[in-house]
Amino acid sequence: MKKIFLLLSMFFLVALNLQAQSPIDAVSVATYNAFSTTADSSSPYFGDLGVRRVIVADADGDGTQEILATDYTNGGRVHVMKSDGAGNLEIIWSSPVDSTTSGSTPRFPQVGDCDGDGMPEIVFEQNGEKRIALYEWDGTSWGTEPAYEITNDMLVGAGAPTGATFRFTRETLLVYDLDNDGKSEIIGHSYINSNRDVYILGVDGLFPGFASLKIEGGHPDFSTNGFDWATGSYFSSIPVEIDGDPNLEIINNHWDNFGMWAIQVNGTDSYSYPDTSKPGDYYRYSPTDAVSYFGIAAPDVNGDGIDEVAGTMYGNNFDMCLFQFTSADTTANLFLSDSAAVANRFGIIAKKTDLAALAGKTAAEFWPCVKGDLNKDGKDEIYTGGSRGLNLIAVQYKGSGSLLDANNYTANLVYTGEGGDVFATIKVYHGRIDTVITGTDTTYQLNTSIVDSVFEETPFTAYIYADNVDLDSDGNMEVVLSEQSVYDSTTVIEYVWVDSTHSWERDNAAEHKIVNTYRKTIRVLEYTGAVGLRDENYNIVSPDDYKLENNYPNPFNPTTTIKFTLPLQKKISLKIYDILGKEVATLINNEVYEKGNFEVSWDGTNNNGFKVASGNYIATLNFGNYSKSIKMTLLK
């Protein structure tokens, strides 16, 4: 794949007034073209639509970070990308193609160690929220099959009520060592009648083969006070540090008037829940049905060691809100309506209209809400993004005044997206409507224009990851963005006004497509201080960039030449197999080759030096977790 550079000149729309703090700004952006030109439909990002979610984690436990990104194609997949330290991000693993799933993209891949063996797992939902798959690192790969799966039947067998239907995730998934026992827990929830129980799931034993699922907490049978009184659909959970003790608090957000409630972690497999004997129920903060759609975040905006909770309020104007706590907040009753000063915990810190105005817009939608301390001053920024022109916004506390007052924050438009018009569909209307028929039931009334256009669906920022990201280990923090609704071409549909019928008629013969040269779905921006964020100029390497050419001559006797191309320095093997898959000859055995073009000859002898029989053979180039093969024929 060609190296893609996107150099955009950016400037501040809003200056930041932070104490000796460098501004958060972008001067250029690294991109990833997620559209394969190969005919192999199992390739990463074979289809359209872009990347729904991207996270950064040390997924293989080697001390360096990888990018994990979702993929809509082939039943929904997850890909892992790693920096090689030489300007390349390489796709090093892809979850298997699964044609049996519903096609629902995994919404939120996570990394944890659920069995506590020191070998991390990549964890994500599959098959339309009907199972959780865990792919465990074995020292070389995450494998081609899950090391462990969690299904609805397993949950019922572990003690959940018979007939309960579980939805493991919607747009979020939490995998985290909540009780500090050395093993990651997974939060799921039941969805049956009005029951909205949240379950904290753990694993006993090791997998594969010797693990069993347990419910550590969450259901009334496992706690003194059940909490199926929380109405509205559960949507996300986040671990927070409020009171400074070794135990975390878990904050839960429901899709019912931005409902919030807490779980207190007491220790290993021990949790406390809101006291349902108290008046009221869990607290609702929105007058309309609202939720932080892509999850809530736990930033520490003023650097005092106490986490706040932030979210963008989907369903309520997409305003950004914040919850403030004190070190005295030590119980699970944080959000009960009779709690002291509960109303003083909540505030709108950035109005949607004000954020939209940063790009000269009057309306916008903002989806992700995440934290990041890019300038490493001990105070988190809150990042959000949305439609084209508003792809990345940083909201920062000024340093004084109430944390719940929007006047004490500044918002800076960091990245506006790539210039130019990028749309999935453009509908063009040709003709002039006779003013006499104004009021006729038509789609559009054009009085003086002879051409008008309607532009539909543009790329938008689906997610942002900015929490302690340093992919190239150079000490400078980074932000990774994913973009959705990205198509390989723009469809132009043309309509002509017909006076006799007073209607628009579609001109099928004129319909055509324009190649979308945008097609970029992942960006990596590095913070460098005074100059803000800059393009890392990554060359994104996919398995398609490794080339194994057909041997020449073919058929051959007595020798043939095999040519291959490596896009970067790589440890590779090149082996010959017979048609039954038995190894015949090793031409390259796990050796490091530099980037470039190479050729190797095979003289038709096996590893013992004997000539092999006439017939068909397979040459396979192995590189990391991938391989490519060609068929060869030896004739004598």
Side-chain angles (χ1 to χ4, degrees), residues 30 33 79 94 107 172 176 324 359 435 451 457 498 508 548 567 576:
N33 184 340
H79 305 292
S94 299
R107 290 298 198 248
T172 65
Y176 196 88
Q324 180 183 14
T435 56
V451 178
E457 197 167 16
V498 179
N508 293 321
L548 179 62
I576 310 298

Side-chain angles (χ1 to χ4, degrees), residues 591-611:
E591 299 177 35
V592 175
Y593 273 60
E594 296 298 322
K595 172 183 177 181
N597 301 313
F598 302 91
E599 58 181 56
V600 176
S601 295
W602 183 45
D603 61 3
T605 60
N606 61 23
N607 286 331
N608 296 317
F610 298 110
K611 292 287 185 179

Side-chain angles (χ1 to χ4, degrees), residues 245-267:
D245 68 13
N247 297 322
L248 295 168
E249 293 74 38
I250 304 169
I251 306 298
N252 308 290
N253 182 208
H254 280 236
W255 195 340
D256 180 12
N257 303 103
F258 214 82
M260 303 290 290
W261 61 280
I263 301 173
Q264 176 66 47
V265 181
N266 302 317

Side-chain angles (χ1 to χ4, degrees), residues 97-144:
V97 172
D98 189 351
S99 59
T100 64
T101 71
S102 66
S104 174
T105 303
R107 290 298 198 248
F108 203 165
Q110 295 280 275
V111 172
D113 184 7
C114 293
D115 60 353
D117 65 353
M119 306 298 280
E121 302 98 34
I122 296 175
V123 185
F124 56 91
E125 159 268 331
Q126 281 187 316
N127 199 19
E129 306 166 0
K130 295 180 181 178
R131 71 168 181 172
I132 292 287
L134 296 87
Y135 290 85
E136 185 173 49
W137 177 254
D138 63 7
T140 59
S141 175
W142 293 272
T144 58

